[in-house]
Every structure is written in C-alpha cells, then in structure tokens.
C-alpha cells in the first residue's frame, strides 16, 4: 500500500512538471527583427525543400536502378519500396516550398513597414512647421 502511494505521489509530481505550461513574456519585436526572422525561416524552409526534393529524386533513381539490375526480365519488385518512399519525400518538399513563400510574403510586409534602413527603430508622426529665410 505504501509503495502504491509513493508511486502515485511520484507520478503526480512528474506529470505536473511535464504537462505544466510555461508562460513566456510577449516581447515586442521591431520590424527589423521580424524581417530577419522571416528571412531566416524562408532560407531554412528552402534548404529543407531542396534537400527533400533531391533526396526523393535520388531514392526514385536508386529504386529504379535496383529494379533494372535485379529484375530486368522478371516480375519482382525489389526496389519499389524505395521508389514509393522517394515519391512521398519528393512530394513533401512542396510543403516546404509553400512555407518558404509564406515567410517571403511576411518579410516583404515587414520591409514595407520600414524594417531595413538607418535609425528606423522609432517612427515619428506629427505636424511639422518649416521656416524659410
């Protein structure tokens, strides 16, 4: 009975720590920081997309080569698993290309908000008066 109680207390403490939600402060980011974030995410997604696309093409080529090498005139399917896996991975690269396009659009919006430039952290608005002599 004592061991069950100790295990129950341990599990409740463990679940409390693992399932607890961490609240972070919402930091206000400048347009420059948001621009750099979205450009970096675009680059990362494009890299993942190209790796997935070329990896899928390589797997398709490898599976086809295995089929040609082992089963040229017979009906075996030795490399078809590799071909189907390559097809799935190659098609999944389009998701990464789409996400890269979304981050490019968001970065362009931040660029239009004045993200890049010298000393544009503070935007001033108001009425100006000009005197000429």
């Amino acid at each position: 009975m004592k061991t069950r109680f100790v295990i129950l207390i341990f599990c409740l403490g463990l679940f409390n720590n693992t399932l607890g939600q961490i609240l972070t402060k919402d930091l206000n980011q400048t347009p420059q920081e948001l621009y750099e974030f979205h450009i970096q995410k675009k680059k990362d997604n494009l890299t993942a997309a190209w790796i997935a696309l070329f990896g899928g093409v390589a797997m398709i080529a490898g599976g086809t080569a295995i089929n040609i090498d082992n089963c040229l005139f017979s009906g075996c399917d030795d490399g078809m698993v590799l071909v189907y896996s390559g097809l799935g991975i190659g098609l999944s690269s389009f998701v990464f290309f789409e996400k890269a396009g979304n981050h490019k659009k968001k970065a362009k919006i931040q660029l239009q908000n004045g993200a890049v430039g010298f000393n544009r952290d503070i935007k001033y608005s108001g009425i100006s008066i000009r005197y000429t002599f």
Side-chain angles (χ1 to χ4, degrees):
M1 184 68 183
K2 286 182 180 180
T3 56
R4 288 184 183 175
F5 183 71
V6 170
I7 290 173
L8 177 69
I9 296 297
F10 177 74
C11 287
L12 288 175
L14 183 67
F15 290 144
N16 186 25
N17 288 336
T18 58
L19 299 177
Q21 183 179 5
I22 298 174
L23 298 175
T24 58
K25 291 183 179 179
D26 227 3
L27 300 175
N28 292 332
Q29 294 180 327
T30 63
Q32 179 70 36
E33 292 171 342
L34 289 172
Y35 173 78
E36 291 171 358
F37 170 76
H38 288 297
I39 287 296
Q40 186 61 40
K41 290 293 279 186
K42 180 191 96 139
K43 289 178 183 178
D44 293 342
N45 283 330
L46 279 178
T47 302
W50 285 113
I51 288 172
L53 184 64
F54 287 133
V57 168
M59 290 174 76
I60 290 170
T64 305
I66 289 171
N67 271 348
I68 290 173
D69 186 41
N70 294 343
C71 314
L72 185 59
F73 296 111
S74 63
C76 67
D77 293 331
D78 289 345
M80 290 310 290
V81 173
L82 197 58
V83 169
Y84 293 141
S85 299
L87 186 64
I89 290 172
L91 290 176
S92 69
S93 70
F94 293 113
V95 174
F96 291 113
F97 281 120
E98 179 67 28
K99 291 295 180 183
N102 289 344
H103 282 289
K104 183 178 178 181
K105 289 176 188 174
K106 289 178 184 178
K108 191 174 185 179
I109 290 171
Q110 294 303 322
L111 185 65
Q112 290 172 350
N113 286 339
V116 177
F118 176 71
N119 203 11
R120 291 202 179 177
D121 292 336
I122 302 170
K123 293 183 178 180
Y124 296 102
S125 62
I127 300 173
S128 64
I129 300 172
R130 190 170 84 176
Y131 293 106
T132 57
F133 294 103

